[in-house]
PDB file of all heavy atoms in Angstrom:
ATOM      1  N   VAL A   1      41.970 128.730 118.219  1.00 97.00           N
ATOM      2  CA  VAL A   1      41.511 127.641 117.358  1.00 97.00           C
ATOM      3  C   VAL A   1      42.011 127.889 115.939  1.00 97.00           C
ATOM      4  O   VAL A   1      41.903 129.000 115.423  1.00 97.00           O
ATOM      5  CB  VAL A   1      39.968 127.555 117.353  1.00 97.00           C
ATOM      6  CG1 VAL A   1      39.491 126.487 116.384  1.00 97.00           C
ATOM      7  CG2 VAL A   1      39.446 127.295 118.746  1.00 97.00           C
ATOM      8  N   THR A   2      42.565 126.847 115.335  1.00 97.00           N
ATOM      9  CA  THR A   2      43.067 126.930 113.966  1.00 97.00           C
ATOM     10  C   THR A   2      42.530 125.749 113.177  1.00 97.00           C
ATOM     11  O   THR A   2      42.528 124.626 113.668  1.00 97.00           O
ATOM     12  CB  THR A   2      44.619 126.853 113.953  1.00 97.00           C
ATOM     13  OG1 THR A   2      45.145 127.787 114.886  1.00 97.00           O
ATOM     14  CG2 THR A   2      45.171 127.166 112.580  1.00 97.00           C
ATOM     15  N   GLU A   3      42.080 126.020 111.954  1.00 97.00           N
ATOM     16  CA  GLU A   3      41.682 124.927 111.073  1.00 97.00           C
ATOM     17  C   GLU A   3      42.942 124.376 110.426  1.00 97.00           C
ATOM     18  O   GLU A   3      43.727 125.128 109.848  1.00 97.00           O
ATOM     19  CB  GLU A   3      40.709 125.425 110.006  1.00 97.00           C
ATOM     20  CG  GLU A   3      39.363 125.808 110.559  1.00 97.00           C
ATOM     21  CD  GLU A   3      38.385 126.269 109.496  1.00 97.00           C
ATOM     22  OE1 GLU A   3      38.685 126.114 108.284  1.00 97.00           O
ATOM     23  OE2 GLU A   3      37.336 126.794 109.864  1.00 97.00           O
ATOM     24  N   VAL A   4      43.144 123.069 110.557  1.00 95.00           N
ATOM     25  CA  VAL A   4      44.344 122.428 110.021  1.00 95.00           C
ATOM     26  C   VAL A   4      43.950 121.199 109.210  1.00 95.00           C
ATOM     27  O   VAL A   4      42.806 120.763 109.244  1.00 95.00           O
ATOM     28  CB  VAL A   4      45.326 122.034 111.158  1.00 95.00           C
ATOM     29  CG1 VAL A   4      45.857 123.259 111.863  1.00 95.00           C
ATOM     30  CG2 VAL A   4      44.685 121.078 112.139  1.00 95.00           C
ATOM     31  N   LYS A   5      44.911 120.644 108.502  1.00 89.00           N
ATOM     32  CA  LYS A   5      44.705 119.399 107.769  1.00 89.00           C
ATOM     33  C   LYS A   5      45.841 118.458 108.096  1.00 89.00           C
ATOM     34  O   LYS A   5      46.972 118.890 108.306  1.00 89.00           O
ATOM     35  CB  LYS A   5      44.673 119.652 106.260  1.00 89.00           C
ATOM     36  CG  LYS A   5      43.457 120.412 105.799  1.00 89.00           C
ATOM     37  CD  LYS A   5      43.458 120.548 104.312  1.00 89.00           C
ATOM     38  CE  LYS A   5      42.201 121.280 103.877  1.00 89.00           C
ATOM     39  NZ  LYS A   5      42.072 121.296 102.420  1.00 89.00           N
ATOM     40  N   GLY A   6      45.550 117.179 108.136  1.00 84.00           N
ATOM     41  CA  GLY A   6      46.594 116.219 108.413  1.00 84.00           C
ATOM     42  C   GLY A   6      46.067 114.802 108.383  1.00 84.00           C
ATOM     43  O   GLY A   6      44.909 114.572 108.069  1.00 84.00           O
ATOM     44  N   PHE A   7      46.939 113.872 108.729  1.00 77.00           N
ATOM     45  CA  PHE A   7      46.517 112.482 108.834  1.00 77.00           C
ATOM     46  C   PHE A   7      47.439 111.750 109.780  1.00 77.00           C
ATOM     47  O   PHE A   7      48.574 112.136 109.994  1.00 77.00           O
ATOM     48  CB  PHE A   7      46.478 111.785 107.465  1.00 77.00           C
ATOM     49  CG  PHE A   7      47.825 111.578 106.837  1.00 77.00           C
ATOM     50  CD1 PHE A   7      48.554 110.430 107.093  1.00 77.00           C
ATOM     51  CD2 PHE A   7      48.357 112.533 106.001  1.00 77.00           C
ATOM     52  CE1 PHE A   7      49.793 110.231 106.514  1.00 77.00           C
ATOM     53  CE2 PHE A   7      49.594 112.349 105.418  1.00 77.00           C
ATOM     54  CZ  PHE A   7      50.316 111.202 105.674  1.00 77.00           C
ATOM     55  N   GLY A   8      46.913 110.696 110.357  1.00 77.00           N
ATOM     56  CA  GLY A   8      47.691 109.824 111.226  1.00 77.00           C
ATOM     57  C   GLY A   8      47.591 108.425 110.669  1.00 77.00           C
ATOM     58  O   GLY A   8      47.929 108.179 109.524  1.00 77.00           O
ATOM     59  N   ARG A   9      47.040 107.544 111.471  1.00 71.00           N
ATOM     60  CA  ARG A   9      46.871 106.162 111.022  1.00 71.00           C
ATOM     61  C   ARG A   9      45.835 106.048 109.911  1.00 71.00           C
ATOM     62  O   ARG A   9      45.827 105.075 109.167  1.00 71.00           O
ATOM     63  CB  ARG A   9      46.450 105.274 112.191  1.00 71.00           C
ATOM     64  CG  ARG A   9      47.549 105.095 113.189  1.00 71.00           C
ATOM     65  CD  ARG A   9      47.140 104.135 114.266  1.00 71.00           C
ATOM     66  NE  ARG A   9      48.162 104.055 115.282  1.00 71.00           N
ATOM     67  CZ  ARG A   9      47.968 103.609 116.486  1.00 71.00           C
ATOM     68  NH1 ARG A   9      46.780 103.183 116.850  1.00 71.00           N
ATOM     69  NH2 ARG A   9      48.951 103.573 117.361  1.00 71.00           N
ATOM     70  N   GLN A  10      44.950 107.034 109.817  1.00 63.00           N
ATOM     71  CA  GLN A  10      43.909 106.992 108.794  1.00 63.00           C
ATOM     72  C   GLN A  10      44.489 106.998 107.389  1.00 63.00           C
ATOM     73  O   GLN A  10      43.946 106.420 106.480  1.00 63.00           O
ATOM     74  CB  GLN A  10      42.979 108.198 108.930  1.00 63.00           C
ATOM     75  CG  GLN A  10      42.140 108.185 110.166  1.00 63.00           C
ATOM     76  CD  GLN A  10      41.456 109.525 110.337  1.00 63.00           C
ATOM     77  OE1 GLN A  10      42.095 110.497 110.692  1.00 63.00           O
ATOM     78  NE2 GLN A  10      40.187 109.565 110.068  1.00 63.00           N
ATOM     79  N   LYS A  11      45.563 107.731 107.213  1.00 65.00           N
ATOM     80  CA  LYS A  11      46.229 107.879 105.921  1.00 65.00           C
ATOM     81  C   LYS A  11      45.272 108.339 104.824  1.00 65.00           C
ATOM     82  O   LYS A  11      45.377 107.940 103.680  1.00 65.00           O
ATOM     83  CB  LYS A  11      46.904 106.575 105.519  1.00 65.00           C
ATOM     84  CG  LYS A  11      47.995 106.168 106.474  1.00 65.00           C
ATOM     85  CD  LYS A  11      48.751 104.977 105.961  1.00 65.00           C
ATOM     86  CE  LYS A  11      49.904 104.648 106.852  1.00 65.00           C
ATOM     87  NZ  LYS A  11      49.575 103.860 108.007  1.00 65.00           N
ATOM     88  N   GLY A  12      44.321 109.189 105.180  1.00 59.00           N
ATOM     89  CA  GLY A  12      43.397 109.718 104.183  1.00 59.00           C
ATOM     90  C   GLY A  12      42.366 108.680 103.759  1.00 59.00           C
ATOM     91  O   GLY A  12      42.233 107.622 104.355  1.00 59.00           O
ATOM     92  N   HIS A  13      41.638 109.007 102.702  1.00 61.00           N
ATOM     93  CA  HIS A  13      40.635 108.090 102.171  1.00 61.00           C
ATOM     94  C   HIS A  13      40.286 108.512 100.747  1.00 61.00           C
ATOM     95  O   HIS A  13      40.705 109.563 100.277  1.00 61.00           O
ATOM     96  CB  HIS A  13      39.384 108.088 103.062  1.00 61.00           C
ATOM     97  CG  HIS A  13      38.696 109.416 103.135  1.00 61.00           C
ATOM     98  ND1 HIS A  13      39.098 110.417 103.979  1.00 61.00           N
ATOM     99  CD2 HIS A  13      37.641 109.904 102.450  1.00 61.00           C
ATOM    100  CE1 HIS A  13      38.305 111.473 103.817  1.00 61.00           C
ATOM    101  NE2 HIS A  13      37.420 111.189 102.895  1.00 61.00           N
ATOM    102  N   THR A  14      39.507 107.688 100.040  1.00 64.00           N
ATOM    103  CA  THR A  14      39.092 108.032  98.685  1.00 64.00           C
ATOM    104  C   THR A  14      37.643 108.499  98.708  1.00 64.00           C
ATOM    105  O   THR A  14      36.842 108.048  99.515  1.00 64.00           O
ATOM    106  CB  THR A  14      39.227 106.834  97.723  1.00 64.00           C
ATOM    107  OG1 THR A  14      38.439 105.765  98.236  1.00 64.00           O
ATOM    108  CG2 THR A  14      40.666 106.384  97.598  1.00 64.00           C
ATOM    109  N   GLU A  15      37.342 109.442  97.827  1.00 62.00           N
ATOM    110  CA  GLU A  15      35.981 109.949  97.691  1.00 62.00           C
ATOM    111  C   GLU A  15      35.586 109.934  96.230  1.00 62.00           C
ATOM    112  O   GLU A  15      36.429 109.897  95.337  1.00 62.00           O
ATOM    113  CB  GLU A  15      35.877 111.377  98.244  1.00 62.00           C
ATOM    114  CG  GLU A  15      35.924 111.434  99.747  1.00 62.00           C
ATOM    115  CD  GLU A  15      35.573 112.811 100.300  1.00 62.00           C
ATOM    116  OE1 GLU A  15      35.172 113.692  99.518  1.00 62.00           O
ATOM    117  OE2 GLU A  15      35.711 112.995 101.509  1.00 62.00           O
ATOM    118  N   LEU A  16      34.287 109.988  96.007  1.00 66.00           N
ATOM    119  CA  LEU A  16      33.755 110.001  94.653  1.00 66.00           C
ATOM    120  C   LEU A  16      33.171 111.379  94.387  1.00 66.00           C
ATOM    121  O   LEU A  16      32.346 111.876  95.166  1.00 66.00           O
ATOM    122  CB  LEU A  16      32.661 108.924  94.540  1.00 66.00           C
ATOM    123  CG  LEU A  16      32.264 108.472  93.150  1.00 66.00           C
ATOM    124  CD1 LEU A  16      33.464 107.874  92.418  1.00 66.00           C
ATOM    125  CD2 LEU A  16      31.148 107.458  93.239  1.00 66.00           C
ATOM    126  N   TYR A  17      33.614 112.046  93.320  1.00 66.00           N
ATOM    127  CA  TYR A  17      33.101 113.372  92.963  1.00 66.00           C
ATOM    128  C   TYR A  17      32.799 113.389  91.474  1.00 66.00           C
ATOM    129  O   TYR A  17      33.686 113.186  90.644  1.00 66.00           O
ATOM    130  CB  TYR A  17      34.126 114.454  93.313  1.00 66.00           C
ATOM    131  CG  TYR A  17      33.668 115.840  92.962  1.00 66.00           C
ATOM    132  CD1 TYR A  17      32.673 116.465  93.711  1.00 66.00           C
ATOM    133  CD2 TYR A  17      34.221 116.517  91.893  1.00 66.00           C
ATOM    134  CE1 TYR A  17      32.245 117.743  93.383  1.00 66.00           C
ATOM    135  CE2 TYR A  17      33.793 117.787  91.564  1.00 66.00           C
ATOM    136  CZ  TYR A  17      32.809 118.394  92.313  1.00 66.00           C
ATOM    137  OH  TYR A  17      32.376 119.663  91.990  1.00 66.00           O
ATOM    138  N   ARG A  18      31.530 113.561  91.131  1.00 72.00           N
ATOM    139  CA  ARG A  18      31.078 113.591  89.738  1.00 72.00           C
ATOM    140  C   ARG A  18      31.558 112.367  88.956  1.00 72.00           C
ATOM    141  O   ARG A  18      32.050 112.473  87.837  1.00 72.00           O
ATOM    142  CB  ARG A  18      31.516 114.876  89.050  1.00 72.00           C
ATOM    143  CG  ARG A  18      30.852 116.092  89.618  1.00 72.00           C
ATOM    144  CD  ARG A  18      31.146 117.302  88.798  1.00 72.00           C
ATOM    145  NE  ARG A  18      30.414 118.447  89.332  1.00 72.00           N
ATOM    146  CZ  ARG A  18      30.397 119.619  88.791  1.00 72.00           C
ATOM    147  NH1 ARG A  18      31.071 119.851  87.675  1.00 72.00           N
ATOM    148  NH2 ARG A  18      29.720 120.605  89.332  1.00 72.00           N
ATOM    149  N   GLY A  19      31.461 111.236  89.603  1.00 73.00           N
ATOM    150  CA  GLY A  19      31.802 109.984  88.946  1.00 73.00           C
ATOM    151  C   GLY A  19      33.278 109.637  88.935  1.00 73.00           C
ATOM    152  O   GLY A  19      33.656 108.561  88.502  1.00 73.00           O
ATOM    153  N   ALA A  20      34.117 110.545  89.415  1.00 74.00           N
ATOM    154  CA  ALA A  20      35.560 110.271  89.432  1.00 74.00           C
ATOM    155  C   ALA A  20      36.019 110.050  90.868  1.00 74.00           C
ATOM    156  O   ALA A  20      35.611 110.775  91.773  1.00 74.00           O
ATOM    157  CB  ALA A  20      36.321 111.436  88.809  1.00 74.00           C
ATOM    158  N   GLU A  21      36.865 109.071  91.048  1.00 68.00           N
ATOM    159  CA  GLU A  21      37.405 108.779  92.365  1.00 68.00           C
ATOM    160  C   GLU A  21      38.677 109.594  92.573  1.00 68.00           C
ATOM    161  O   GLU A  21      39.494 109.732  91.663  1.00 68.00           O
ATOM    162  CB  GLU A  21      37.746 107.285  92.462  1.00 68.00           C
ATOM    163  CG  GLU A  21      37.229 106.635  93.708  1.00 68.00           C
ATOM    164  CD  GLU A  21      37.587 105.170  93.785  1.00 68.00           C
ATOM    165  OE1 GLU A  21      38.784 104.857  93.744  1.00 68.00           O
ATOM    166  OE2 GLU A  21      36.656 104.360  93.888  1.00 68.00           O
ATOM    167  N   TYR A  22      38.836 110.166  93.742  1.00 66.00           N
ATOM    168  CA  TYR A  22      40.083 110.855  94.041  1.00 66.00           C
ATOM    169  C   TYR A  22      40.454 110.618  95.499  1.00 66.00           C
ATOM    170  O   TYR A  22      39.624 110.300  96.323  1.00 66.00           O
ATOM    171  CB  TYR A  22      39.995 112.353  93.725  1.00 66.00           C
ATOM    172  CG  TYR A  22      39.049 113.126  94.597  1.00 66.00           C
ATOM    173  CD1 TYR A  22      39.518 113.853  95.687  1.00 66.00           C
ATOM    174  CD2 TYR A  22      37.680 113.142  94.346  1.00 66.00           C
ATOM    175  CE1 TYR A  22      38.662 114.557  96.495  1.00 66.00           C
ATOM    176  CE2 TYR A  22      36.805 113.847  95.148  1.00 66.00           C
ATOM    177  CZ  TYR A  22      37.310 114.563  96.216  1.00 66.00           C
ATOM    178  OH  TYR A  22      36.452 115.272  97.023  1.00 66.00           O
ATOM    179  N   VAL A  23      41.737 110.756  95.783  1.00 70.00           N
ATOM    180  CA  VAL A  23      42.271 110.467  97.111  1.00 70.00           C
ATOM    181  C   VAL A  23      42.347 111.759  97.923  1.00 70.00           C
ATOM    182  O   VAL A  23      42.859 112.759  97.443  1.00 70.00           O
ATOM    183  CB  VAL A  23      43.676 109.824  97.015  1.00 70.00           C
ATOM    184  CG1 VAL A  23      44.271 109.598  98.402  1.00 70.00           C
ATOM    185  CG2 VAL A  23      43.605 108.521  96.245  1.00 70.00           C
ATOM    186  N   VAL A  24      41.823 111.708  99.131  1.00 68.00           N
ATOM    187  CA  VAL A  24      41.947 112.818 100.066  1.00 68.00           C
ATOM    188  C   VAL A  24      43.072 112.444 101.025  1.00 68.00           C
ATOM    189  O   VAL A  24      42.894 111.603 101.903  1.00 68.00           O
ATOM    190  CB  VAL A  24      40.621 113.055 100.833  1.00 68.00           C
ATOM    191  CG1 VAL A  24      40.781 114.188 101.834  1.00 68.00           C
ATOM    192  CG2 VAL A  24      39.486 113.337  99.869  1.00 68.00           C
ATOM    193  N   ASP A  25      44.249 113.046 100.804  1.00 73.00           N
ATOM    194  CA  ASP A  25      45.417 112.701 101.622  1.00 73.00           C
ATOM    195  C   ASP A  25      45.355 113.335 103.005  1.00 73.00           C
ATOM    196  O   ASP A  25      45.749 112.728 103.991  1.00 73.00           O
ATOM    197  CB  ASP A  25      46.702 113.156 100.934  1.00 73.00           C
ATOM    198  CG  ASP A  25      47.017 112.316  99.709  1.00 73.00           C
ATOM    199  OD1 ASP A  25      46.657 111.129  99.706  1.00 73.00           O
ATOM    200  OD2 ASP A  25      47.603 112.861  98.765  1.00 73.00           O
ATOM    201  N   PHE A  26      44.908 114.573 103.071  1.00 80.00           N
ATOM    202  CA  PHE A  26      44.877 115.299 104.337  1.00 80.00           C
ATOM    203  C   PHE A  26      43.436 115.546 104.756  1.00 80.00           C
ATOM    204  O   PHE A  26      42.648 116.096 103.998  1.00 80.00           O
ATOM    205  CB  PHE A  26      45.626 116.629 104.204  1.00 80.00           C
ATOM    206  CG  PHE A  26      47.080 116.445 103.918  1.00 80.00           C
ATOM    207  CD1 PHE A  26      47.565 116.547 102.619  1.00 80.00           C
ATOM    208  CD2 PHE A  26      47.971 116.147 104.934  1.00 80.00           C
ATOM    209  CE1 PHE A  26      48.910 116.368 102.352  1.00 80.00           C
ATOM    210  CE2 PHE A  26      49.311 115.960 104.682  1.00 80.00           C
ATOM    211  CZ  PHE A  26      49.782 116.076 103.380  1.00 80.00           C
ATOM    212  N   LEU A  27      43.121 115.136 105.969  1.00 85.00           N
ATOM    213  CA  LEU A  27      41.763 115.271 106.475  1.00 85.00           C
ATOM    214  C   LEU A  27      41.632 116.552 107.289  1.00 85.00           C
ATOM    215  O   LEU A  27      42.558 116.953 107.990  1.00 85.00           O
ATOM    216  CB  LEU A  27      41.428 114.059 107.353  1.00 85.00           C
ATOM    217  CG  LEU A  27      41.549 112.715 106.639  1.00 85.00           C
ATOM    218  CD1 LEU A  27      41.424 111.585 107.631  1.00 85.00           C
ATOM    219  CD2 LEU A  27      40.505 112.597 105.559  1.00 85.00           C
ATOM    220  N   PRO A  28      40.470 117.214 107.217  1.00 90.00           N
ATOM    221  CA  PRO A  28      40.286 118.449 107.987  1.00 90.00           C
ATOM    222  C   PRO A  28      40.217 118.156 109.486  1.00 90.00           C
ATOM    223  O   PRO A  28      39.552 117.223 109.919  1.00 90.00           O
ATOM    224  CB  PRO A  28      38.958 119.000 107.473  1.00 90.00           C
ATOM    225  CG  PRO A  28      38.254 117.846 106.875  1.00 90.00           C
ATOM    226  CD  PRO A  28      39.302 116.882 106.411  1.00 90.00           C
ATOM    227  N   LYS A  29      40.935 118.948 110.238  1.00 94.00           N
ATOM    228  CA  LYS A  29      40.965 118.846 111.700  1.00 94.00           C
ATOM    229  C   LYS A  29      40.933 120.254 112.273  1.00 94.00           C
ATOM    230  O   LYS A  29      41.050 121.230 111.541  1.00 94.00           O
ATOM    231  CB  LYS A  29      42.235 118.128 112.192  1.00 94.00           C
ATOM    232  CG  LYS A  29      42.433 116.717 111.677  1.00 94.00           C
ATOM    233  CD  LYS A  29      41.487 115.748 112.318  1.00 94.00           C
ATOM    234  CE  LYS A  29      41.730 114.331 111.794  1.00 94.00           C
ATOM    235  NZ  LYS A  29      40.854 113.380 112.409  1.00 94.00           N
ATOM    236  N   VAL A  30      40.812 120.340 113.584  1.00 97.00           N
ATOM    237  CA  VAL A  30      40.872 121.617 114.286  1.00 97.00           C
ATOM    238  C   VAL A  30      41.943 121.502 115.360  1.00 97.00           C
ATOM    239  O   VAL A  30      42.013 120.494 116.064  1.00 97.00           O
ATOM    240  CB  VAL A  30      39.508 121.965 114.931  1.00 97.00           C
ATOM    241  CG1 VAL A  30      39.612 123.193 115.808  1.00 97.00           C
ATOM    242  CG2 VAL A  30      38.456 122.170 113.864  1.00 97.00           C
ATOM    243  N   LYS A  31      42.784 122.536 115.465  1.00 98.00           N
ATOM    244  CA  LYS A  31      43.813 122.552 116.512  1.00 98.00           C
ATOM    245  C   LYS A  31      43.426 123.608 117.538  1.00 98.00           C
ATOM    246  O   LYS A  31      43.184 124.767 117.201  1.00 98.00           O
ATOM    247  CB  LYS A  31      45.186 122.866 115.941  1.00 98.00           C
ATOM    248  CG  LYS A  31      46.268 122.931 117.028  1.00 98.00           C
ATOM    249  CD  LYS A  31      47.665 122.882 116.481  1.00 98.00           C
ATOM    250  CE  LYS A  31      48.109 124.203 115.950  1.00 98.00           C
ATOM    251  NZ  LYS A  31      49.557 124.248 115.640  1.00 98.00           N
ATOM    252  N   ILE A  32      43.353 123.176 118.796  1.00 97.00           N
ATOM    253  CA  ILE A  32      43.047 124.068 119.912  1.00 97.00           C
ATOM    254  C   ILE A  32      44.328 124.249 120.708  1.00 97.00           C
ATOM    255  O   ILE A  32      45.003 123.276 121.028  1.00 97.00           O
ATOM    256  CB  ILE A  32      41.961 123.460 120.818  1.00 97.00           C
ATOM    257  CG1 ILE A  32      40.683 123.241 120.025  1.00 97.00           C
ATOM    258  CG2 ILE A  32      41.722 124.347 122.032  1.00 97.00           C
ATOM    259  CD1 ILE A  32      39.649 122.432 120.764  1.00 97.00           C
ATOM    260  N   GLU A  33      44.643 125.502 121.023  1.00 98.00           N
ATOM    261  CA  GLU A  33      45.827 125.798 121.831  1.00 98.00           C
ATOM    262  C   GLU A  33      45.406 126.562 123.074  1.00 98.00           C
ATOM    263  O   GLU A  33      44.644 127.521 122.990  1.00 98.00           O
ATOM    264  CB  GLU A  33      46.827 126.625 121.029  1.00 98.00           C
ATOM    265  CG  GLU A  33      47.365 125.898 119.804  1.00 98.00           C
ATOM    266  CD  GLU A  33      48.248 126.776 118.956  1.00 98.00           C
ATOM    267  OE1 GLU A  33      49.463 126.812 119.217  1.00 98.00           O
ATOM    268  OE2 GLU A  33      47.711 127.436 118.052  1.00 98.00           O
ATOM    269  N   VAL A  34      45.908 126.116 124.229  1.00 97.00           N
ATOM    270  CA  VAL A  34      45.591 126.744 125.509  1.00 97.00           C
ATOM    271  C   VAL A  34      46.855 126.749 126.359  1.00 97.00           C
ATOM    272  O   VAL A  34      47.534 125.733 126.449  1.00 97.00           O
ATOM    273  CB  VAL A  34      44.497 125.952 126.266  1.00 97.00           C
ATOM    274  CG1 VAL A  34      44.104 126.671 127.534  1.00 97.00           C
ATOM    275  CG2 VAL A  34      43.290 125.704 125.402  1.00 97.00           C
ATOM    276  N   VAL A  35      47.161 127.887 126.980  1.00 96.00           N
ATOM    277  CA  VAL A  35      48.277 127.960 127.918  1.00 96.00           C
ATOM    278  C   VAL A  35      47.695 128.077 129.316  1.00 96.00           C
ATOM    279  O   VAL A  35      46.852 128.936 129.579  1.00 96.00           O
ATOM    280  CB  VAL A  35      49.205 129.157 127.615  1.00 96.00           C
ATOM    281  CG1 VAL A  35      50.305 129.261 128.658  1.00 96.00           C
ATOM    282  CG2 VAL A  35      49.805 129.018 126.222  1.00 96.00           C
ATOM    283  N   LEU A  36      48.131 127.173 130.209  1.00 94.00           N
ATOM    284  CA  LEU A  36      47.548 127.073 131.538  1.00 94.00           C
ATOM    285  C   LEU A  36      48.616 126.940 132.614  1.00 94.00           C
ATOM    286  O   LEU A  36      49.748 126.557 132.338  1.00 94.00           O
ATOM    287  CB  LEU A  36      46.651 125.833 131.616  1.00 94.00           C
ATOM    288  CG  LEU A  36      45.503 125.740 130.620  1.00 94.00           C
ATOM    289  CD1 LEU A  36      44.908 124.354 130.644  1.00 94.00           C
ATOM    290  CD2 LEU A  36      44.456 126.776 130.933  1.00 94.00           C
ATOM    291  N   THR A  37      48.197 127.199 133.843  1.00 93.00           N
ATOM    292  CA  THR A  37      49.066 126.931 134.983  1.00 93.00           C
ATOM    293  C   THR A  37      49.046 125.423 135.242  1.00 93.00           C
ATOM    294  O   THR A  37      48.146 124.709 134.814  1.00 93.00           O
ATOM    295  CB  THR A  37      48.578 127.685 136.240  1.00 93.00           C
ATOM    296  OG1 THR A  37      47.215 127.341 136.481  1.00 93.00           O
ATOM    297  CG2 THR A  37      48.695 129.194 136.053  1.00 93.00           C
ATOM    298  N   GLU A  38      50.048 124.960 135.967  1.00 94.00           N
ATOM    299  CA  GLU A  38      50.229 123.518 136.202  1.00 94.00           C
ATOM    300  C   GLU A  38      48.986 122.845 136.799  1.00 94.00           C
ATOM    301  O   GLU A  38      48.650 121.726 136.446  1.00 94.00           O
ATOM    302  CB  GLU A  38      51.414 123.280 137.138  1.00 94.00           C
ATOM    303  CG  GLU A  38      52.743 123.785 136.622  1.00 94.00           C
ATOM    304  CD  GLU A  38      53.384 122.862 135.607  1.00 94.00           C
ATOM    305  OE1 GLU A  38      53.028 121.672 135.584  1.00 94.00           O
ATOM    306  OE2 GLU A  38      54.242 123.344 134.860  1.00 94.00           O
ATOM    307  N   ASP A  39      48.292 123.529 137.706  1.00 94.00           N
ATOM    308  CA  ASP A  39      47.161 122.914 138.405  1.00 94.00           C
ATOM    309  C   ASP A  39      45.944 122.694 137.515  1.00 94.00           C
ATOM    310  O   ASP A  39      45.052 121.928 137.861  1.00 94.00           O
ATOM    311  CB  ASP A  39      46.779 123.743 139.638  1.00 94.00           C
ATOM    312  CG  ASP A  39      46.371 125.164 139.284  1.00 94.00           C
ATOM    313  OD1 ASP A  39      47.003 125.759 138.386  1.00 94.00           O
ATOM    314  OD2 ASP A  39      45.436 125.694 139.915  1.00 94.00           O
TER     315      ASP A  39
END
């Protein structure tokens, strides 16, 4: 498991912090990696 940041169709969003608006370009996500047999 890895903590990652990114965006797709969401393209980020704006947030309000201490009265100032700012753009969050990359949203927090989690990446899970698993190696498995075909079945």
Side-chain angles (χ1 to χ4, degrees):
V1 176
T2 310
E3 291 181 10
V4 295
K5 291 183 178 187
F7 68 89
R9 291 184 185 161
Q10 292 169 287
K11 297 187 175 83
H13 62 277
T14 58
E15 287 190 7
L16 198 60
Y17 180 73
R18 294 188 176 184
E21 228 180 58
Y22 67 99
V23 177
V24 178
D25 289 329
F26 296 99
L27 302 171
K29 301 287 181 179
V30 173
K31 178 165 80 169
I32 300 170
E33 297 175 89
V34 184
V35 176
L36 302 168
T37 55
E38 299 281 339
D39 60 321

